[in-house]
Each structure stands twice: as structure tokens, then as C-alpha cells.
Amino acid sequence: MKKLIVAPLVALALAHPSIAAAPQFQTAAPIAYMEDLSSGAVLFARDADRRMPPASLAKMMTVYVAFDMVKKGELKLDQMMPVRPETWAKWHGPSAGSTMFLSSGENVSVANLLYGIVTLSGNDACIVLAEGISGSEQAFTERMNRKAAELGLKDSHFGTANGWPDNGVTYVTAHDLAKLAAATITNYPDLYKQFYSKRDFTWGKTMGGSAITQANRDPILGRVAGADGLKTGHTEEAGYGFTGSAVQNGRRLVMVVAGLTSSGQRAEESVRFMEWGFRAWQSKPIVAKGKMVETAAVQLGDSSSVGLVAPKALTVTLPAGTSPTMTAKVVYNGPIKAPIKAGQHVADLVVTISDGLQQTMPLVAEKDVAEAGFFGRAWAGLTGFFG
């Protein structure tokens, strides 16, 4: 029977301890969250698990579903999708909120619809994409919710593809939005780079026939070094919100603010928050890429153990200018059952610094471990029976 294995690692404690208080941040945002994806450290959290209407932040899940399908070959970026007359009738004009200015009856590629969603926050583009993929928006939201469940977004539910108010059916949390952002960046890095950092996009024409160019609404893009996504949102019910990310010197931060009172306040708080995350905290390397940290017992394998190695250079996030005590432990459900693939995530390195800040980083299997043969399984059964 598997049990939680915890192996303390005294060797990772620093030799010169000092007490390090976590840096403080003051914000007008009633909901705020920041995580350093490089270490897994949560740098700030205020009401991050409160359910709230996402407004256009829901479009991040629409885009995630499309990215997943593109990566799997189920959807092509050059695939054309029609703008149905009834869809156009509902999603055009001032009452439709932000739009891509699609035209009734035109065919638009998946790539251009994604630009329309990400860069322009087009409500019309979301619905055309949803209908083109699943036949109806309702069927598409079922796909969104299945994907949310796979990602472990426990406090999120989607009733629309574009975040349009729906009497509370659609809700998210700041914590879940950060998790969704991290999954988008990690799982689809090329698509993220292609679609999320475009400064503006041109689609549609004015009544006079001039092309319509709209700027990206991302308030940190071009204002914070390394900023490259993700999404703003606003409705009267939700207020002004933003989920953003930036990378500097190998450190990638994800932030969420919500419930702000104006687009100007959202921009100011977002820039200040992200700059605080980079300035008030520092990164310290602790394990080189490929280094074995521990070994783990293997059940029913052709080897009785497997090395646990760092899949990348592992770092911890510390208050800037400090060298606090660190303690580390390896945690996994063990023994780990074979077969195991080299590079498979099978354990975590959990580091705690002196102020209680805990950071969790993945460890992967050093090598393949095949299932044991018949006699190996029989022997394992006998030894297990007799203890």
C-alpha cells in the first residue's frame, strides 16, 4: 500500500542563517495573488480563493482549449470558421462589449480568431471559435469545464466562452486564474509566445472602409520588462481585473488583480505589483539541472529504486538581500509503482525558509524502470506477505 514518504535533506540548509521577514505590499485590489513559477513560491495572496465573476478573464480558458487542440492536431491554425449571421447579430455593436469587428458571413482562420480574442478581447471572436469547434457555445463550455477539471481548477466553472455575465454560472478564483496562466505558459510555450504578446491587431473596417486597428489591452505589456501576457477583464459586476506574466533573468512571475474600480487603477496596480515582485524578491539556485537529489523505492519494478533528479535548475525565492535558513524535504507517494519513464514527475522537493514560506518544485525519474517479470512480482508478493 502506498504512503506519503517524507525524506528530510539537511544538506540543503544554508550555513549562515538569518531571519528574513517577507516583503510587504500594499494594493487597492481587494483580490490579488502572485506566484514565482521558477520556484513555486507564493509571494502575495489576498482573498485568492474567493469565487468571483471573471469577465473577459474567462477567455483564457477558451484560448487554452484551442491551444490544446492545436498541439494535439485536432485543430489547425489555418482552419477557416464561418461567422454565422445569428452570431453576428448578437455580437456586434455597442451592446456586445469589446469585439473584433467581424462581418456576417465571412470566414476567419483559427489564428486570426485567437488574435482577436487575446489581443482585442473580442466577444464575437470567442463565440465564432466556440461554435466552429463544438457546434454551439454550450457544447464548447462543457469542453472548457472538462479541461478545467483536468487542470485542478477546483473553484472555477464556465457557462460562457467569453465571460459575459450569466447570473453567477461562470466563476473563477485568482488562485485558479494563476494556475491556468501557468499551465498555458508551460504546456504551450510556442503558442503562448505567438499569440499573447502582440501589441496590436488589425481586423474589420469602418463605415468609410478604413481598416480598424486596436491596441492590446494588457496594462504591463511594454511597461514592465519581460512582460508577455495575459488577459484583462471588466464588467460592472466584476470590476476591472487582470492576469499577467513577465520573465526577468530567468524568473517568471504570474500575477492576478481583481475588483479594481477603473482601467487606470488596474494599469497602475498591475505595474506596481509586478515590479514589486521582481524588486523585493531574489532567486537563489539550490540544485543544478540533472542532479540527483534522492532515491525512491520502486514497487514491482525491474529495479528496486529510482533516482530523483532535477528536471531543470531549481531555485528558491527569497526576500531580496537576505540569506535565511532553509530546510528541504523530498515528498512522494511511495513506493512508486513501475513502470516509470525517465523524466516522469514522481516526487517533489519542498523547501521551507525561516519565515515559513514554502516552495514546491518537481523532481523526475532519473531512468526508465520497467515492470518486473513474473518471478520478480511473485518474490515481491511473498516478501510483502511476510513483511
Side-chain angles (χ1 to χ4, degrees):
M1 181 171 64
K2 288 190 175 184
K3 61 180 180 179
L4 186 67
I5 307 295
V6 179
L9 297 173
V10 180
L12 288 183
L14 293 184
H16 303 289
S18 65
I19 300 299
Q24 300 299 302
F25 182 74
Q26 301 297 323
T27 177
I31 296 174
Y33 182 83
M34 178 176 285
E35 183 174 340
D36 189 331
L37 297 189
S38 307
S39 64
V42 177
L43 307 186
F44 188 93
R46 173 183 290 172
D47 225 356
D49 292 314
R50 186 210 302 182
R51 290 182 177 180
M52 61 182 181
S56 287
L57 296 175
K59 293 168 183 169
M60 290 168 53
M61 179 54 76
T62 296
V63 173
Y64 187 92
V65 168
F67 281 3
D68 185 64
M69 295 180 69
V70 169
K71 184 176 180 179
K72 291 177 178 177
E74 299 170 357
L75 185 69
K76 296 185 181 300
L77 291 176
D78 61 358
Q79 186 174 331
M80 305 301 288
M81 294 189 169
V83 180
R84 297 175 179 176
E86 58 270 28
T87 301
W88 175 84
K90 182 177 180 179
W91 296 104
H92 88 283
S95 63
S98 55
T99 70
M100 183 181 168
F101 293 105
L102 293 169
S103 298
S104 178
E106 73 175 322
N107 289 293
V108 188
S109 70
V110 168
N112 284 328
L113 289 171
L114 286 171
Y115 284 127
I117 295 168
V118 173
T119 310
L120 312 181
S121 198
N123 289 319
D124 51 356
C126 275
I127 305 306
V128 170
L129 183 67
E131 292 175 344
I133 289 174
S134 298
S136 70
E137 183 183 13
Q138 181 180 355
F140 185 80
T141 59
E142 292 172 3
R143 186 188 287 263
M144 293 171 72
N145 288 316
R146 288 195 299 270
K147 191 57 64 178
E150 288 176 20
L151 291 173
L153 307 187
K154 298 178 181 179
D155 290 299
S156 295
H157 184 268
F158 300 92
T160 70
N162 56 17
W164 198 256
D166 58 2
N167 297 313
V169 174
T170 300
Y171 55 84
V172 297
T173 66
H175 194 178
D176 279 358
L177 287 171
K179 188 179 293 187
L180 174 57
T184 302
I185 294 164
T186 302
N187 296 340
Y188 315 110
D190 294 338
L191 290 167
Y192 174 76
K193 182 178 180 180
Q194 178 179 350
F195 287 98
Y196 267 103
S197 57
K198 195 172 181 63
R199 299 295 182 92
D200 56 52
F201 186 60
T202 301
W203 195 270
K205 294 185 181 298
T206 66
M207 295 294 290
S210 300
I212 301 173
T213 298
Q214 299 182 69
N216 195 319
R217 291 163 169 78
D218 185 332
I220 65 172
L221 196 62
R223 295 185 62 188
V224 174
D228 55 9
L230 296 155
K231 191 74 193 70
T232 58
H234 168 250
T235 62
E236 185 174 344
E237 178 187 21
Y240 290 81
F242 174 60
T243 300
S245 185
V247 59
Q248 295 181 14
N249 301 317
R251 285 182 65 207
R252 178 173 284 282
L253 305 184
V254 165
M255 58 153 284
V256 180
V257 289
L260 292 162
T261 59
S262 69
S263 60
Q265 187 184 48
R266 176 177 61 192
E268 178 184 350
E269 292 299 296
S270 297
V271 171
R272 284 200 320 112
F273 197 21
M274 190 64 82
E275 289 181 341
W276 171 83
F278 285 115
R279 184 178 61 252
W281 300 84
Q282 65 182 356
S283 181
K284 179 179 178 62
I286 56 169
V287 182
K289 179 180 179 179
K291 180 178 179 180
M292 187 168 73
V293 176
E294 183 59 278
T295 59
V298 175
Q299 182 181 39
L300 300 178
D302 62 1
S303 174
S304 61
S305 64
V306 65
L308 304 176
V309 303
K312 60 180 181 178
L314 301 183
T315 64
V316 291
T317 304
L318 308 172
T322 67
S323 296
T325 300
M326 293 191 300
T327 58
K329 58 187 177 183
V330 171
V331 179
Y332 62 95
N333 287 317
I336 303 169
K337 189 175 181 181
I340 303 167
K341 290 290 186 182
Q344 180 180 334
H345 178 196
V346 291
D348 289 310
L349 177 65
V350 181
V351 178
T352 304
I353 64 176
S354 56
D355 68 346
L357 182 68
Q358 195 170 82
Q359 305 172 39
T360 302
M361 291 153 275
L363 297 174
V364 300
E366 180 185 28
K367 62 181 181 180
D368 289 344
V369 179
E371 287 184 293
F374 172 78
F375 291 106
R377 294 195 301 274
W379 177 252
L382 285 172
T383 56
F385 178 78
F386 289 108

